[in-house]
């Protein structure tokens, strides 16, 4: 699982808390359900970096937003460390959807052409209600790609139902 989180200045504390809660649930689920799982943590503002678990969940950081920096790093890590012949690659991304306008199209291209072909499944969780250009690009991609799902979470009580919906067994009702 390669997990990316937006920690830019547009992500207020409520949004960061929602993203952390989502990832805490995902991390707990993965470690309890699977015997051998690697989780790669990526945080980004205008630049992305791979971080340890502690930094992913607790470090304070701020800055502008260039989402593609996280997707480029995700692609590099997946290709360098996790050959698809040996690994099932999953991805998750949490963000408020605010992004440099010209970067959102690049994000869609990176997902469509590089990341999704490697992934068994990729989930995007937007932690803001307002639909911005990233949501628009991702909505179009989700409509044409069955391994890509997008959902919104704006309140803490929505996290578990959205998580269950995103990660339900194939063919099972949520």
């Amino acid at each position: 699982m390669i997990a990316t989180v937006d920690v830019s200045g547009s992500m207020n504390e409520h949004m960061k808390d929602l993203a952390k809660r989502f990832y805490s649930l995902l991390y707990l689920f993965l470690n309890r359900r699977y015997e051998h799982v690697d989780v790669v943590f990526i945080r980004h503002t205008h630049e992305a970096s791979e971080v340890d678990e502690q930094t992913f969940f607790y470090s304070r950081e701020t800055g502008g937003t260039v989402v593609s920096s996280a997707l480029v790093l995700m692609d590099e890590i997946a290709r360098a460390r996790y050959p698809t012949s040996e690994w099932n690659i999953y991805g998750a991304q949490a963000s408020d959807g605010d992004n440099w306008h010209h970067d959102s199209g690049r994000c869609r291209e990176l997902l469509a052409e590089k990341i999704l072909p490697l992934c068994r499944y990729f989930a995007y969780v937007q932690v803001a209600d307002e639909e911005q250009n990233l949501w628009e690009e991702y909505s179009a991609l989700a409509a044409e790609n069955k391994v890509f799902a997008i959902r919104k979470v704006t309140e803490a009580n929505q996290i578990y139902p959205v998580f269950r919906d995103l990660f339900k067994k194939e063919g099972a009702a949520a």
Side-chain angles (χ1 to χ4, degrees):
M1 171 62 71
I2 302 176
T4 69
V5 67
D6 181 350
V7 292
S8 65
S10 64
M11 290 277 290
N12 63 38
E13 287 307 311
H14 175 70
M15 293 174 188
K16 288 178 183 178
D17 181 62
L18 292 173
K20 286 178 191 178
R21 288 173 185 244
F22 173 78
Y23 278 123
S24 293
L25 184 59
L26 178 60
Y27 190 64
L28 184 65
F29 168 76
L30 291 172
N31 283 305
R32 286 194 174 170
R33 180 145 179 139
Y34 299 101
E35 190 173 310
H36 184 70
V37 64
D38 274 7
V39 180
V40 175
F41 298 104
I42 297 174
R43 291 170 55 98
H44 75 87
T45 57
H46 64 285
E47 293 180 327
S49 58
E50 181 178 0
V51 296
D52 61 23
E53 177 184 343
Q54 181 72 22
T55 303
F56 185 81
F57 285 105
Y58 301 109
S59 180
R60 300 231 180 253
E61 197 172 345
T62 190
T65 312
V66 180
V67 175
S68 65
S69 66
L71 299 177
V72 166
L73 183 56
M74 176 186 254
D75 180 55
E76 290 171 358
I77 291 169
R79 291 178 192 283
R81 293 189 224 159
Y82 303 103
T84 56
S85 61
E86 298 174 28
W87 290 89
N88 291 322
I89 300 170
Y90 293 83
Q93 178 183 9
S95 172
D96 64 350
D98 186 28
N99 191 23
W100 288 62
H101 183 71
H102 299 295
D103 188 55
S104 294
R106 181 165 189 239
C107 292
R108 181 176 190 232
E109 289 173 10
L110 285 165
L111 281 167
E113 296 170 11
K114 293 192 172 261
I115 296 170
L116 294 180
L118 299 176
C119 289
R120 306 258 307 153
Y121 188 69
F122 190 103
Y124 170 70
V125 176
Q126 182 169 298
V127 293
D129 194 39
E130 187 177 337
E131 295 176 4
Q132 300 196 41
N133 55 16
L134 192 61
W135 181 267
E136 293 169 13
E137 293 287 346
Y138 283 9
S139 293
L141 186 57
E144 62 192 39
N145 198 312
K146 68 178 184 161
V147 301
F148 185 59
I150 63 172
R151 301 289 186 279
K152 286 185 190 175
V153 171
T154 57
E155 298 298 328
N157 65 356
Q158 297 170 333
I159 292 170
Y160 184 68
V162 165
F163 177 84
R164 282 197 55 184
D165 182 43
L166 284 170
F167 295 102
K168 67 183 179 244
K169 288 186 178 183
E170 287 185 62

